[in-house]
Amino acid sequence: MSIKQIVENDVLVSTDLRPNETRALAALFRAGASSRAALARDLGLTRSTTGALVLGLTEAGLARERSDGADDEQDSEGRVGRPGILVEIDGNGGFFLGAYIGVNWIAVVTVDLAGARRASASRAFAGPGSTPEAAVDIIGELVAEIRSQLPAGTRPYGLNVAVPGFPAADGVSYHATILGWHGVNLAELLRTAFGADFPILLENDANAVAVAETYWAQPGKDDEDALIILIENGVGGGIINAGRLHRGRLGGAGEIGHLRIGDEGFVFDAKRPGRLESYVGKDALLARYLHISGLRAGVDEFVAALAGGDPEAVATARDWALWFGRGLATLACTLQPERIILSGSVNAVYPFVAKQVEAFLSDFLAEGYPVPTVELSRVGADGPALGAACLLHQAALSGDPQFQLRGLAAR
């Protein structure tokens, strides 16, 4: 799915890359280092045209050659190409920053033009009751730290910030309920901090995680349907439909934490009782444990108690599994994903109750209905920041006519 997704227009500057050049970079990202003959076949171009493309990309610092110690393939006329020369993306050709504003911390990650993660940094953050300005200040400090680790003479393309919320109907302001932010023009605050010529994007955190989880698609999984569930204090979802990120009309599709599945929940919410996140979010899990055991604990402490067979922790996890299974069944009926991927700190509970959740999920679905597989995240706690950076990288390789790549390469 990584090359298919196009980011929003009118936020990126004009390009001087020709369409075949972006196609070549995309092909090299998908296939890795390739011979000129293989690249020409992939692009449907002649060897001479492909050779000219490669020359332009290498001169721009966006691609490079290396030897693999073997002879190149023969072409259709039986001629042997240059021995052992492969073409690959030069990672230093561009850098893409992603940030995540979480409830307890802020992270920044950068990936290079080859799609490799190059550096990361994080700071503690007291989200609820904080100000957007404080978050922007921390992001600025982290970006400066990251940039100090990049090769001399390079600069990042821009910044994409993942937020636990969604854009308002006006298309300008942002709602992040779990942070206590409403109608915040976060993009304008970031542009003021970084400068008008520094591209800024905003993305829902669960959407960003969904991209991070599926960006490096496995063979045969390029057109899959998947649901990525991010469980922290709240619960968010990222929907991958036929290999593409589904954002919905306002960009907030996947707000599954607000799905009502019961009457009250384990944490009280007078306005929206019985939501999924009030049963399975981090606050709900720990509130249930407090109710059963009388003990206050963090997620790590709870998981340790669960691993030790603590009866109150086991009972709490069983209650969590029941409601999580019900929620997954509703989502499976609605979205019919092939895979459900669990991300966030609370996913550490799942291995202890996997059989129960899967049994609940199967029982709640109609007989014969396809049951999705449930997997744990592979990208780690800063997945939203990584996915945000990947979305910028995706723009570079998508052929977006407003993306500027030349001039970012190392000199």
Side-chain angles (χ1 to χ4, degrees), residues 159-291:
L159 174 68
N160 191 8
V161 180
V163 185
F166 54 93
D170 60 15
V172 176
S173 58
Y174 218 81
H175 295 303
T177 303
I178 203 163
L179 297 175
W181 301 354
H182 294 282
V184 174
N185 193 335
L186 187 58
E188 184 60 32
L189 292 174
L190 289 162
R191 290 190 186 100
T192 299
F194 287 91
D197 62 342
F198 195 77
I200 297 292
L201 292 178
L202 296 178
E203 183 58 83
N204 172 266
D205 57 348
N207 280 349
V209 170
V211 171
E213 292 286 355
T214 57
Y215 196 55
W216 299 272
Q218 300 172 9
K221 295 289 187 181
D222 198 46
D223 293 316
E224 73 169 333
D225 290 291
L227 172 65
I228 292 78
I229 300 178
L230 176 63
I231 312 178
E232 289 291 349
N233 299 75
V235 178
I239 304 167
I240 302 297
N241 176 240
R244 297 175 183 265
L245 177 63
H246 175 70
R247 287 192 174 87
R249 184 169 66 89
L250 299 178
E255 286 291 330
I256 62 174
H258 301 293
L259 180 72
R260 184 168 183 174
I261 62 170
D263 293 328
E264 293 185 5
F266 298 147
V267 288
F268 179 70
D269 187 335
K271 292 184 178 179
R272 295 161 296 167
R275 294 172 300 124
L276 177 62
E277 65 185 29
S278 70
Y279 286 99
V280 303
K282 180 165 67 174
D283 293 340
L285 172 75
L286 299 179
R288 187 61 175 169
Y289 184 54
L290 174 63
H291 174 74

Side-chain angles (χ1 to χ4, degrees), residues 357-387:
V357 172
E358 291 166 7
F360 288 140
L361 176 58
S362 181
D363 289 345
F364 291 143
L365 293 173
E367 185 176 354
Y369 201 86
V371 180
T373 60
V374 182
E375 306 171 7
L376 295 182
S377 169
R378 297 168 296 172
V379 300
D382 55 5
L386 177 62

